Amino acid sequence: MDQSNHLFKFNASLFKLPKSAKLRAFGVYLAGALYAIGFWLIIDAAIFSKTVNASVVHVTFVDWIPFICSLLGMLIVNLIEKSNLFSDSNNSFLSNGTNPNAWAARVILFFGFSLLAGGLAGSFMVLILKFLLKHYSFPTLGMGVSNIVCNLCIMLSCIVLWLSQNIEDEYSYSLAL
Amino acid sequence: MNPLNKIIFLSAFLASGFLLILLSCALYNSYKPLWVILIFLLAPLPNILAQAIENSRDDFLTFNNNEGDRPSPFLEFCKSFTGFLIVSGIALPLTFYHTGLIELGSMVMSIIGGLIVYGDIIVFIWFFSENEEENDDFNF
């Protein structure tokens, strides 16, 4: 039975991404643009707190911690060599031993994704503990909201970069001479 | 359209872009939008660098091409950095306006001026590379 390789009943190859080099390039540009939106949102919140802020709440180092977590997570997730992740010991043809890098790559990738998710969760926690529980109204609340949107944008940028790096090139002749 | 006309029109557009940014600084007496010029001048640079490096690397004869036709990580980093710089050039005046450092008219003028400068550089590179391909008949 050739169906036994699939994990679910649906054939996962139906959901493959379209192959084109232009889509891949566009995804990479889009990832940089989303990252810039996130970056400038948190810079905007910091300058806003310094200049036109009429309240007593200010952006302190606590507001920057989720951003730093997301940044580290994005770095880790995108710096990993992806060919290590999918090399199983069962179906590797040439080396019949286990790949020693595979489990390390998976653990580091797990740390990266949990740092990304932790950044987003941390920004929600900053919004709730610092702004919502003390019943601040909107121009002050905007600093917390922009923190959340910043972390969302960095997470989206990471997802777009990951997806667009998995797009294969349409004309990928491997010139293995 | 002969190349001289192209260069004249492009330089006129470039001058109008710089004029808009400088006016946005001078009319409102706040010279913070000048950073937009720097960002949009830096924005085409990563792609030019990446192209130069990719063209100089001869991976057919050195047998180092073990990744197929896949673009190198440095090329992709340059692309995403280009996207970062373009959005930064738009987001910087927006941030200045939102935090009350510059006025609304200054923001609009500096954004439009920056986009004109960037589009002008891109169109110039495009024309230039097109001319290069046309004259590439004899020198391989």
Side-chain angles (χ1 to χ4, degrees):
Chain A
M1 286 187 73
D2 55 343
Q3 291 287 320
S4 62
N5 278 334
H6 298 151
L7 190 56
F8 294 107
K9 285 182 178 178
F10 293 108
N11 192 357
S13 62
L14 287 177
F15 304 109
K16 264 190 180 169
L17 290 164
K19 295 178 176 181
S20 90
K22 277 187 181 171
L23 188 67
R24 182 184 168 116
F26 177 73
V28 175
Y29 282 125
L30 185 68
L34 278 171
Y35 177 76
I37 292 173
F39 179 76
W40 282 105
L41 269 173
I42 195 160
I43 297 283
D44 179 69
I47 303 178
F48 183 86
S49 134
K50 187 80 177 173
T51 52
V52 284
N53 195 1
S55 63
V56 291
V57 187
H58 286 283
V59 170
T60 52
F61 183 67
V62 177
D63 301 70
W64 288 83
I65 290 174
F67 177 69
I68 295 170
C69 282
S70 296
L71 201 59
L72 283 178
M74 184 175 173
L75 268 180
I76 290 173
V77 166
N78 286 307
L79 281 181
I80 234 168
E81 178 65 45
K82 291 187 184 58
S83 59
N84 282 333
L85 296 173
F86 308 113
S87 61
D88 285 333
S89 56
N90 291 328
N91 54 7
S92 74
F93 180 62
L94 290 174
S95 64
N96 48 4
T98 55
N99 190 355
N101 283 333
W103 69 270
R106 283 174 196 153
V107 168
I108 293 174
L109 187 73
F110 175 73
F111 273 118
F113 276 121
S114 47
L115 271 175
L116 268 177
L120 188 60
S123 67
F124 272 102
M125 209 172 80
V126 166
L127 176 77
I128 291 170
L129 289 183
K130 197 172 170 182
F131 295 98
L132 281 184
L133 281 184
K134 296 173 185 170
H135 305 287
Y136 286 115
S137 61
F138 209 80
T140 311
L141 195 64
M143 288 188 277
V145 174
S146 72
N147 202 342
I148 286 183
V149 181
C150 157
N151 282 288
L152 263 180
C153 279
I154 289 178
M155 201 173 185
L156 260 181
S157 150
C158 191
I159 291 170
V160 168
L161 200 55
W162 178 273
L163 284 182
S164 65
Q165 278 177 343
N166 284 334
I167 295 174
E168 297 280 326
D169 201 349
E170 191 176 359
Y171 302 108
S172 65
Y173 313 117
S174 67
L175 290 172
L177 293 174
Chain B
M1 198 169 180
N2 59 347
L4 192 64
N5 280 350
K6 280 181 193 171
I7 289 176
I8 290 171
F9 275 114
L10 283 176
S11 60
F13 272 116
L14 191 69
S16 69
F18 279 124
L19 181 72
L20 266 177
I21 296 180
L22 285 175
L23 272 183
S24 77
C25 296
L27 285 183
Y28 298 93
N29 208 6
S30 149
Y31 282 84
K32 291 191 180 68
L34 274 184
W35 289 104
V36 177
I37 295 181
L38 182 69
I39 290 177
F40 275 114
L41 283 184
L42 282 181
L45 210 58
N47 270 350
I48 297 172
L49 268 179
Q51 279 302 319
I53 289 174
E54 285 294 303
N55 287 338
S56 69
R57 198 187 63 181
D58 191 4
D59 55 8
F60 186 71
L61 292 176
T62 51
F63 300 104
N64 280 330
N65 190 5
N66 49 5
E67 296 176 1
D69 230 356
R70 182 166 290 239
S72 69
F74 178 70
L75 199 64
E76 300 218 309
F77 173 73
C78 285
K79 276 180 185 166
S80 71
F81 196 63
T82 304
F84 177 79
L85 281 176
I86 295 171
V87 176
S88 293
I90 301 170
L92 186 69
L94 281 174
T95 303
F96 281 154
Y97 172 63
H98 181 233
T99 53
L101 292 175
I102 60 174
E103 312 259 334
L104 177 65
S106 178
M107 176 193 82
V108 173
M109 282 160 79
S110 57
I111 287 179
I112 293 175
L115 285 179
I116 287 176
V117 168
Y118 178 70
D120 204 88
I121 295 171
I122 291 301
V123 171
F124 189 84
I125 292 171
W126 183 51
F127 279 156
F128 194 65
S129 63
E130 203 179 33
N131 286 339
E132 212 171 43
E133 281 171 9
E134 282 172 3
N135 297 332
D136 205 18
D137 285 333
F138 293 109
N139 42 357
F140 289 94

